[in-house]
Amino acid sequence: MAITRQDLEANRLRTSLCSTPVASSLLPEADVERSLCNTLASRPDSADLDGDVWVFGYGSLIWNPMVVHTESRLATVHGYHRGFYLYSKINRGTWDNPGLVLGLDRGGCCTGMVFRIPRHVVEQEFRVLWRREMMTGAYHPRWLRVKMDATPDAPEQRALAFVMNREHAGYAGRLPDARVVDCLRHACGLYGPAREYLHQTLLGLATHGVDDPYLGRLWRQLQESDATEAARDTCAVATPVGTSASAATCPEDAVAATVHPHETV
């Protein structure tokens, strides 16, 4: 099921989930509306933007913003970093097989994209964003300071970003790489496979010349895990009944040959 902007405008995603077991995990609509109104009321007044606002994307917003914007630029947030900190039981996984999605958590820095939303459609576009990002209350909307990468000497701007709500039940904390890769390998939700989410984010960053070592490392480990499993399955098929695995012909060199530890996307 591909989620479209039209689905979000009509609030079809929430409506479809209200009759399922995940309904209990949805933030009440009154709370979603209150969060939206409070964020709009606190938006910064930047004279040089003439009422427009910036939205900072660090994950799927980079490659699928879905919001009306007149400009997009590389930008960096200091004081927060990107990581797979949120279990996803709807968008990129299920209750039985949760995936993981990215969140901004405290410390470090993060390079992503900012999108300039015209003042006359800010409320309309924020409502689309809230129905996409705030359905379960896993994030806190915050106006963060960002530096535009193309003009490092320019003054900092304020941009809306969704940062981790550490009190949320889906907050995963800092997981070891092996656990992240295990969650990304086979999980799939309403928005598609979890591994696709990682791959598309890497590609979106690479398109703008950004290398994220953390995401690149996870992608290589995911590929290596795939290759190891494929080699194991091949050996299992090739091993005659009654023959021990140690006696089967499946040299480790054959597995290594399918792995490309320096492959980039």
Side-chain angles (χ1 to χ4, degrees), residues 9-22:
E9 288 175 333
N11 211 13
R12 280 194 286 265
L13 178 59
R14 183 184 186 93
T15 301
S16 67
L17 292 172
C18 281
S19 59
T20 72
V22 304

PDB file of all heavy atoms in Angstrom, residues 9-22:
ATOM      1  N   GLU A   9      -4.248  14.134   3.065  1.00  0.00           N
ATOM      2  CA  GLU A   9      -5.190  15.256   3.036  1.00  0.00           C
ATOM      3  C   GLU A   9      -6.579  14.817   3.484  1.00  0.00           C
ATOM      4  O   GLU A   9      -7.278  15.550   4.197  1.00  0.00           O
ATOM      5  CB  GLU A   9      -5.259  15.843   1.624  1.00  0.00           C
ATOM      6  CG  GLU A   9      -4.016  16.623   1.221  1.00  0.00           C
ATOM      7  CD  GLU A   9      -4.073  17.089  -0.221  1.00  0.00           C
ATOM      8  OE1 GLU A   9      -4.765  16.429  -1.033  1.00  0.00           O
ATOM      9  OE2 GLU A   9      -3.425  18.102  -0.528  1.00  0.00           O
ATOM     10  N   ALA A  10      -6.988  13.623   3.083  1.00  0.00           N
ATOM     11  CA  ALA A  10      -8.309  13.095   3.444  1.00  0.00           C
ATOM     12  C   ALA A  10      -8.288  12.357   4.775  1.00  0.00           C
ATOM     13  O   ALA A  10      -9.330  11.845   5.218  1.00  0.00           O
ATOM     14  CB  ALA A  10      -8.824  12.176   2.338  1.00  0.00           C
ATOM     15  N   ASN A  11      -7.115  12.278   5.398  1.00  0.00           N
ATOM     16  CA  ASN A  11      -6.946  11.574   6.679  1.00  0.00           C
ATOM     17  C   ASN A  11      -7.341  10.104   6.573  1.00  0.00           C
ATOM     18  O   ASN A  11      -7.835   9.498   7.529  1.00  0.00           O
ATOM     19  CB  ASN A  11      -7.760  12.257   7.779  1.00  0.00           C
ATOM     20  CG  ASN A  11      -7.096  12.122   9.145  1.00  0.00           C
ATOM     21  OD1 ASN A  11      -5.930  11.742   9.243  1.00  0.00           O
ATOM     22  ND2 ASN A  11      -7.828  12.439  10.196  1.00  0.00           N
ATOM     23  N   ARG A  12      -7.145   9.529   5.384  1.00  0.00           N
ATOM     24  CA  ARG A  12      -7.554   8.130   5.152  1.00  0.00           C
ATOM     25  C   ARG A  12      -6.709   7.138   5.945  1.00  0.00           C
ATOM     26  O   ARG A  12      -7.206   6.082   6.335  1.00  0.00           O
ATOM     27  CB  ARG A  12      -7.494   7.810   3.663  1.00  0.00           C
ATOM     28  CG  ARG A  12      -8.679   8.306   2.874  1.00  0.00           C
ATOM     29  CD  ARG A  12      -8.766   7.688   1.497  1.00  0.00           C
ATOM     30  NE  ARG A  12      -7.772   8.231   0.593  1.00  0.00           N
ATOM     31  CZ  ARG A  12      -7.997   9.233  -0.255  1.00  0.00           C
ATOM     32  NH1 ARG A  12      -9.191   9.806  -0.300  1.00  0.00           N
ATOM     33  NH2 ARG A  12      -7.055   9.661  -1.071  1.00  0.00           N
ATOM     34  N   LEU A  13      -5.434   7.463   6.161  1.00  0.00           N
ATOM     35  CA  LEU A  13      -4.577   6.533   6.895  1.00  0.00           C
ATOM     36  C   LEU A  13      -5.097   6.324   8.315  1.00  0.00           C
ATOM     37  O   LEU A  13      -5.248   5.190   8.782  1.00  0.00           O
ATOM     38  CB  LEU A  13      -3.140   7.051   6.921  1.00  0.00           C
ATOM     39  CG  LEU A  13      -2.133   6.200   7.691  1.00  0.00           C
ATOM     40  CD1 LEU A  13      -2.066   4.788   7.113  1.00  0.00           C
ATOM     41  CD2 LEU A  13      -0.750   6.848   7.661  1.00  0.00           C
ATOM     42  N   ARG A  14      -5.389   7.409   8.990  1.00  0.00           N
ATOM     43  CA  ARG A  14      -5.894   7.300  10.360  1.00  0.00           C
ATOM     44  C   ARG A  14      -7.244   6.585  10.381  1.00  0.00           C
ATOM     45  O   ARG A  14      -7.481   5.715  11.223  1.00  0.00           O
ATOM     46  CB  ARG A  14      -6.016   8.682  10.990  1.00  0.00           C
ATOM     47  CG  ARG A  14      -6.468   8.641  12.445  1.00  0.00           C
ATOM     48  CD  ARG A  14      -6.675  10.008  13.040  1.00  0.00           C
ATOM     49  NE  ARG A  14      -6.974   9.871  14.456  1.00  0.00           N
ATOM     50  CZ  ARG A  14      -6.075   9.921  15.425  1.00  0.00           C
ATOM     51  NH1 ARG A  14      -4.796  10.116  15.148  1.00  0.00           N
ATOM     52  NH2 ARG A  14      -6.426   9.777  16.691  1.00  0.00           N
ATOM     53  N   THR A  15      -8.102   6.945   9.447  1.00  0.00           N
ATOM     54  CA  THR A  15      -9.426   6.320   9.391  1.00  0.00           C
ATOM     55  C   THR A  15      -9.324   4.813   9.213  1.00  0.00           C
ATOM     56  O   THR A  15     -10.046   4.035   9.861  1.00  0.00           O
ATOM     57  CB  THR A  15     -10.252   6.930   8.239  1.00  0.00           C
ATOM     58  OG1 THR A  15     -10.373   8.341   8.447  1.00  0.00           O
ATOM     59  CG2 THR A  15     -11.624   6.288   8.165  1.00  0.00           C
ATOM     60  N   SER A  16      -8.412   4.384   8.345  1.00  0.00           N
ATOM     61  CA  SER A  16      -8.266   2.952   8.088  1.00  0.00           C
ATOM     62  C   SER A  16      -7.695   2.220   9.295  1.00  0.00           C
ATOM     63  O   SER A  16      -7.982   1.043   9.506  1.00  0.00           O
ATOM     64  CB  SER A  16      -7.368   2.723   6.872  1.00  0.00           C
ATOM     65  OG  SER A  16      -6.035   3.134   7.136  1.00  0.00           O
ATOM     66  N   LEU A  17      -6.899   2.910  10.113  1.00  0.00           N
ATOM     67  CA  LEU A  17      -6.272   2.255  11.261  1.00  0.00           C
ATOM     68  C   LEU A  17      -7.155   2.244  12.498  1.00  0.00           C
ATOM     69  O   LEU A  17      -6.932   1.452  13.408  1.00  0.00           O
ATOM     70  CB  LEU A  17      -4.946   2.963  11.601  1.00  0.00           C
ATOM     71  CG  LEU A  17      -3.828   2.817  10.573  1.00  0.00           C
ATOM     72  CD1 LEU A  17      -2.645   3.714  10.936  1.00  0.00           C
ATOM     73  CD2 LEU A  17      -3.374   1.371  10.460  1.00  0.00           C
ATOM     74  N   CYS A  18      -8.164   3.095  12.528  1.00  0.00           N
ATOM     75  CA  CYS A  18      -9.019   3.190  13.714  1.00  0.00           C
ATOM     76  C   CYS A  18      -9.818   1.912  13.978  1.00  0.00           C
ATOM     77  O   CYS A  18     -10.296   1.703  15.092  1.00  0.00           O
ATOM     78  CB  CYS A  18      -9.969   4.378  13.574  1.00  0.00           C
ATOM     79  SG  CYS A  18      -9.181   5.959  13.950  1.00  0.00           S
ATOM     80  N   SER A  19      -9.971   1.082  12.965  1.00  0.00           N
ATOM     81  CA  SER A  19     -10.720  -0.168  13.145  1.00  0.00           C
ATOM     82  C   SER A  19      -9.802  -1.377  13.262  1.00  0.00           C
ATOM     83  O   SER A  19     -10.233  -2.514  13.097  1.00  0.00           O
ATOM     84  CB  SER A  19     -11.682  -0.364  11.969  1.00  0.00           C
ATOM     85  OG  SER A  19     -10.969  -0.397  10.744  1.00  0.00           O
ATOM     86  N   THR A  20      -8.527  -1.140  13.544  1.00  0.00           N
ATOM     87  CA  THR A  20      -7.546  -2.221  13.675  1.00  0.00           C
ATOM     88  C   THR A  20      -6.973  -2.235  15.085  1.00  0.00           C
ATOM     89  O   THR A  20      -7.190  -1.292  15.863  1.00  0.00           O
ATOM     90  CB  THR A  20      -6.399  -2.034  12.660  1.00  0.00           C
ATOM     91  OG1 THR A  20      -5.587  -0.928  13.085  1.00  0.00           O
ATOM     92  CG2 THR A  20      -6.943  -1.779  11.262  1.00  0.00           C
ATOM     93  N   PRO A  21      -6.210  -3.280  15.439  1.00  0.00           N
ATOM     94  CA  PRO A  21      -5.610  -3.344  16.784  1.00  0.00           C
ATOM     95  C   PRO A  21      -4.645  -2.206  17.094  1.00  0.00           C
ATOM     96  O   PRO A  21      -4.346  -1.953  18.270  1.00  0.00           O
ATOM     97  CB  PRO A  21      -4.877  -4.694  16.757  1.00  0.00           C
ATOM     98  CG  PRO A  21      -5.615  -5.514  15.766  1.00  0.00           C
ATOM     99  CD  PRO A  21      -6.037  -4.548  14.704  1.00  0.00           C
ATOM    100  N   VAL A  22      -4.136  -1.507  16.071  1.00  0.00           N
ATOM    101  CA  VAL A  22      -3.166  -0.428  16.341  1.00  0.00           C
ATOM    102  C   VAL A  22      -3.859   0.862  16.762  1.00  0.00           C
ATOM    103  O   VAL A  22      -3.197   1.844  17.092  1.00  0.00           O
ATOM    104  CB  VAL A  22      -2.276  -0.152  15.111  1.00  0.00           C
ATOM    105  CG1 VAL A  22      -1.574  -1.413  14.651  1.00  0.00           C
ATOM    106  CG2 VAL A  22      -3.082   0.457  13.968  1.00  0.00           C
TER     107      VAL A  22
END
